[in-house]
Amino acid sequence: MNDARRTHAVIRQTDPTLPDGSLNLSGNLPPIVADAFEERYRRALSKVMREEQLSSLVGSHRFTGTEKDRRAGSVFVSLRLGSPPDVKRVVVTNGTQSAIDRLFDCIVGRDGVIAVEELTYPAIKPIAARLGMRLCPVRIDGDGIIPDSFSDVCQRERPSAFYTLPTLHNPTTATTTLDRRRAIVDIARLHNVRFIEDDIYSSLPLDAPPPFATLAPEISWYILGTAKSLSPGLKVAYVVAPDRLAAARVFWPGVKSTYWMPAPLNAEATANLVLSGDARAIIGAVRLEMGYRHELAREILDGIPVTTRPGALNLWIRIPKPGARLEIARLTQNRNVIVGTGDAFVVGDCLPPEALRIGLGTVLTRHQLSQGLEVLRDAYRSVFKQSMSSRSSI
């Protein structure tokens, strides 16, 4: 299959509503690193085919994961936690979103109150709405979560938990500093607030601060998914509970909520990738490819106010003109390049940020990324050239 056909297939799978032939810079997926992934994933699948009795493998539910699943999860999260947690604290789930849904329901409870960053993962809002929860926004800046804002929310709103994405925050790419994390832990303990920590982007940077789960394990539910570092289609995320009893209480036997369980073949193949060490090699290849893509972005978007960090899958571009984000998005779409805005991430009644989120990994090749970024650059310059012309004529 040639590059164009392969790229088209990736685009359609990412978002079937996109126009044919468009380049999608609105997504936030890791790049496909076929040279690193193909052989290793085939090896992981072959091990399943060779060593497992398939009828037994797929013939039962996988509540909380097998011992092997939990061992693999312990190894995988140790990349961030520093050491492998007790396997009985680990649960294997059907991706991060399913884990979040389960934790919201059981940790916060229906009609409860939960703190979130003022810009948050868009899936959080429909999950909270379905459960009747109220979301309370916590302000963030370039150094991540602002402790004073979190303290204010805790005192005023009394949330049960804080859902947070503190490392390479989506969409801003901000990473909360270690000093702020320590301050936030003190506030959470004071107000009896538990962390639901989504650390999904944290495997790619080499210098990320330690998670809340290492600073306050007794009040932390830690989630590390594979979608942003290995491959989104694996649909496996590992949850680390505060203790083994909490893990069993929340996830066994699902409390009549069963979709959070992973498909056995996915879980088994992912465990093989992790336990063989191949997952580390794939993460390294993704990290390397993102380095090349960041360099392309720096060259092409020179002069445009871009915020990002090493390992981030996206750029965050603040637009210094009201309404310009929508005009730029319209101009790029006219040339079959789709970019994202900050609108979908807003919590509550706040005005959407005048910003664009630009995904670097969703398109298949660096050449296509260059094409898309050049269209974005031209649209940005066009909008601001028009603005300068209008001011000059006044």
Side-chain angles (χ1 to χ4, degrees):
M1 183 180 292
N2 62 36
D3 262 4
R5 290 180 62 193
R6 290 178 67 193
T7 304
H8 177 72
V10 171
I11 289 172
R12 297 301 293 179
Q13 291 167 7
T14 302
D15 185 350
T17 67
L18 294 180
D20 288 346
S22 62
L23 292 176
N24 181 16
L25 301 187
S26 69
N28 212 30
L29 301 181
I32 291 177
V33 287
D35 289 346
F37 188 86
E38 290 285 328
E39 180 182 351
R40 290 175 173 85
Y41 190 54
R42 290 179 190 278
R43 190 157 58 223
L45 289 173
S46 295
K47 183 176 174 63
V48 177
M49 299 299 109
R50 187 173 62 251
E51 297 182 1
E52 299 295 327
Q53 184 181 33
L54 298 182
S55 57
S56 296
L57 179 69
V58 300
S60 61
H61 292 304
R62 215 169 178 94
F63 288 118
T64 74
T66 64
E67 190 278 335
K68 179 179 178 181
D69 291 333
R70 295 192 296 273
R71 183 160 46 91
S74 182
V75 169
F76 191 69
V77 300
S78 72
L79 299 176
R80 286 289 290 135
L81 299 184
S83 60
D86 179 355
V87 296
K88 292 187 177 179
R89 293 173 57 202
V90 178
V91 178
V92 61
T93 69
N94 181 37
T96 300
Q97 191 169 324
S98 294
I100 292 168
D101 189 291
R102 185 80 203 99
L103 290 172
F104 274 27
D105 195 3
C106 198
I107 303 305
V108 181
R110 294 173 186 268
D111 302 319
V113 178
I114 185 165
V116 296
E117 286 108 345
E118 61 186 332
L119 300 175
T120 194
Y121 175 37
I124 296 303
K125 291 185 283 186
I127 292 173
R130 181 175 57 79
L131 296 171
M133 292 177 180
R134 185 161 55 89
L135 299 178
C136 300
V138 177
R139 289 187 294 112
I140 58 174
D141 62 15
D143 289 326
I145 304 158
I146 299 174
D148 285 348
S149 178
F150 179 57
S151 179
D152 289 345
V153 168
C154 289
Q155 292 178 54
R156 185 177 64 252
E157 307 292 349
R158 304 295 183 189
S160 300
F162 181 23
Y163 167 78
T164 176
L165 211 164
T167 302
L168 295 183
H169 172 261
N170 182 19
T172 68
T173 77
T175 291
T176 301
T177 64
L178 179 55
D179 285 347
R180 286 193 178 189
R181 292 180 192 225
R182 287 173 173 152
I184 290 162
V185 162
D186 290 342
I187 295 164
R189 284 175 169 148
L190 178 64
H191 293 281
N192 194 30
V193 175
R194 288 159 289 184
F195 292 104
I196 298 175
E197 183 174 11
D198 183 354
D199 213 23
I200 195 165
Y201 295 101
S202 69
S203 300
L204 296 176
L206 294 172
D207 59 351
F212 288 117
T214 66
L215 302 175
E218 78 283 1
I219 56 171
S220 295
W221 289 84
Y222 179 78
I223 310 169
L224 188 59
T226 57
K228 306 301 184 180
S229 58
L230 293 176
S231 180
L234 288 177
K235 300 304 295 178
V236 169
Y238 299 105
V239 176
V240 182
D243 56 65
R244 61 177 67 185
L245 293 178
R249 182 180 68 253
V250 172
F251 285 97
W252 178 271
V255 195
K256 299 183 180 179
S257 174
T258 58
Y259 74 93
W260 57 265
M261 292 178 294
L265 186 60
N266 281 357
E268 189 72 24
T270 303
N272 288 341
L273 281 175
V274 172
L275 295 174
S276 68
D278 282 342
R280 281 177 176 260
I282 295 168
I283 292 171
V286 171
R287 184 184 296 123
L288 182 63
E289 177 62 22
M290 287 309 302
Y292 292 130
R293 295 188 180 213
H294 275 261
E295 183 59 35
L296 274 178
R298 277 191 294 270
E299 293 174 1
I300 295 170
L301 301 180
D302 184 42
I304 294 175
V306 171
T307 298
T308 192
R309 284 170 173 75
L313 299 180
N314 69 282
L315 314 175
W316 183 240
I317 302 178
R318 292 280 186 179
I319 311 295
K321 178 186 173 185
R325 74 189 189 284
L326 301 177
E327 177 65 7
I328 293 170
R330 183 187 66 80
L331 289 174
T332 63
Q333 186 167 0
N334 288 346
R335 294 178 60 184
N336 286 327
V337 174
I338 312 300
V339 300
T341 68
D343 299 51
F345 300 89
V346 175
V347 177
D349 298 327
C350 299
L351 292 175
E354 200 62 57
L356 299 171
R357 190 189 75 165
I358 309 301
L360 300 179
T362 305
V363 293
L364 187 64
T365 69
R366 295 176 209 165
H367 175 66
Q368 289 159 341
L369 178 61
S370 296
Q371 290 179 310
L373 292 176
E374 287 167 0
V375 169
L376 170 64
R377 177 199 61 202
D378 293 347
Y380 184 96
R381 289 177 177 175
S382 173
V383 166
F384 281 93
K385 183 178 180 181
Q386 291 170 11
S387 176
M388 292 299 293
S389 299
S390 297
R391 286 200 294 267
S392 298
S393 65
I394 293 175

